[in-house]
C-alpha cells in the first residue's frame, strides 16, 4: 500500500536533488561564455553587461556585483601564474608590469569565491592604482605573499588555493574590441615553502 508512494517520493527526491546539484555545479564550473585569456589573466567582457549569458548573470547576482556599463569597467581574474601552475598560499609571487589604461584599478585576492578577509585587519588585502609605488616608466612590482614584504605587498590567505581579481574602472579597454591586444602584468612564482 505504501510501496508506490514511497518509490515515487524516492524518485522525486533523486530527481530534484540531482537537478539542484547539477545546476549548482554548472554555475560554479564557469563564470560564463566568451572568455578572453591574456597570459594568466582571464576576462569575460560581456559578463558585466546586459548582454551577459545566464551563467554570468547568476554569478553576478550571487556575488551582489554591480552591473558596469560597456565602457565603465572590466574585471580580470587569475588562478594560475605565467607557467600555468595554480596559485597557492604556501608560495610567493611577484606581479610585474603595467595595467591597461584605466582611471583607477583595484587588485585583491579571492578564496572559495569570496574576498580574502584575514583576522588581522591591518594586513594589505587589497591594493589600488593610487596606493602603489611605481618605477619611473610607470611600471610596478607587487609582492604577493603570506610574509610581509617591503614596498608594494599584497597579503594572501593563510592556506589553500586562491585567485586574484584585477578590476579596471573607467577604462577604454572595456568598450573596445581590442581587448585581446591589451598588455597585462605578469604573475611570476618566486618561491614556495621555505625556499
Amino acid at each position: 500500500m505504501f510501496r508506490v508512494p514511497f518509490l515515487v517520493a524516492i524518485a522525486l527526491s533523486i530527481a530534484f536533488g540531482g537537478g539542484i546539484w547539477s545546476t549548482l555545479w554548472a554555475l560554479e564550473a564557469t563564470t560564463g561564455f566568451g572568455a578572453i585569456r591574456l597570459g594568466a589573466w582571464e576576462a569575460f567582457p560581456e559578463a558585466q553587461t546586459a548582454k551577459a549569458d545566464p551563467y554570468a548573470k547568476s554569478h553576478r547576482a550571487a556575488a551582489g556585483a554591480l552591473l558596469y556599463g560597456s565602457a565603465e569597467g572590466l574585471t580580470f581574474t587569475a588562478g594560475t601564474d605565467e607557467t600555468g601552475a595554480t596559485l597557492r598560499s604556501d608560495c610567493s609571487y611577484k606581479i610585474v608590469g603595467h595595467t591597461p589604461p584605466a582611471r583607477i584599478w583595484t587588485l585583491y585576492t579571492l578564496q572559495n569565491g569570496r574576498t580574502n578577509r584575514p583576522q588581522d585587519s591591518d594586513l594589505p588585502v587589497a591594493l589600488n592604482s593610487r596606493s602603489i609605488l611605481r618605477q619611473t616608466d610607470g611600471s610596478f612590482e607587487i609582492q604577493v605573499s603570506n610574509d610581509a614584504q617591503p614596498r608594494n605587498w599584497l597579503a594572501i590567505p593563510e592556506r589553500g588555493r586562491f585567485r586574484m581579481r584585477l578590476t579596471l574602472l573607467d577604462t577604454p579597454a572595456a568598450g573596445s574590441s581590442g581587448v585581446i591586444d591589451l598588455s597585462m602584468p605578469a604573475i611570476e612564482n618566486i618561491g614556495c615553502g621555505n625556499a
Side-chain angles (χ1 to χ4, degrees), residues 97-100 102-105 128-142 151-152:
H98 295 86
T99 61
R103 185 176 303 264
I104 191 168
W105 54 259
N128 65 55
S129 56
R130 296 185 181 180
S131 67
I132 63 165
L133 301 171
R134 296 177 185 268
Q135 304 294 331
T136 55
D137 63 354
S139 66
F140 56 84
E141 181 177 308
I142 299 171
R151 300 177 53 90
N152 300 320

Side-chain angles (χ1 to χ4, degrees), residues 80-85 187 189:
T80 62
D81 61 18
E82 294 300 313
T83 65
I187 303 172
N189 186 327

Side-chain angles (χ1 to χ4, degrees), residues 114-129:
R114 298 195 174 138
T115 306
N116 175 28
R117 300 209 190 278
Q119 294 177 352
D120 186 352
S121 61
D122 293 334
L123 296 178
V125 295
L127 297 173
N128 65 55
S129 56

Side-chain angles (χ1 to χ4, degrees), residues 53-98:
D53 62 85
Y55 292 104
K57 288 179 181 178
S58 174
H59 274 273
R60 191 176 61 228
L66 295 173
L67 176 64
Y68 299 131
S70 61
E72 290 178 339
L74 186 59
T75 300
F76 290 88
T77 58
T80 62
D81 61 18
E82 294 300 313
T83 65
T86 302
L87 299 177
R88 300 182 342 227
S89 296
D90 61 337
C91 296
S92 295
Y93 301 91
K94 179 169 58 171
I95 302 174
V96 183
H98 295 86

Side-chain angles (χ1 to χ4, degrees), residues 89-93 123-124 143-150 152-158 191 193-195:
S89 296
D90 61 337
C91 296
S92 295
Y93 301 91
L123 296 178
Q143 304 292 327
V144 181
S145 175
N146 270 325
D147 302 321
Q149 302 291 323
N152 300 320
W153 171 47
L154 182 65
I156 57 176
E158 291 181 13
N194 294 328

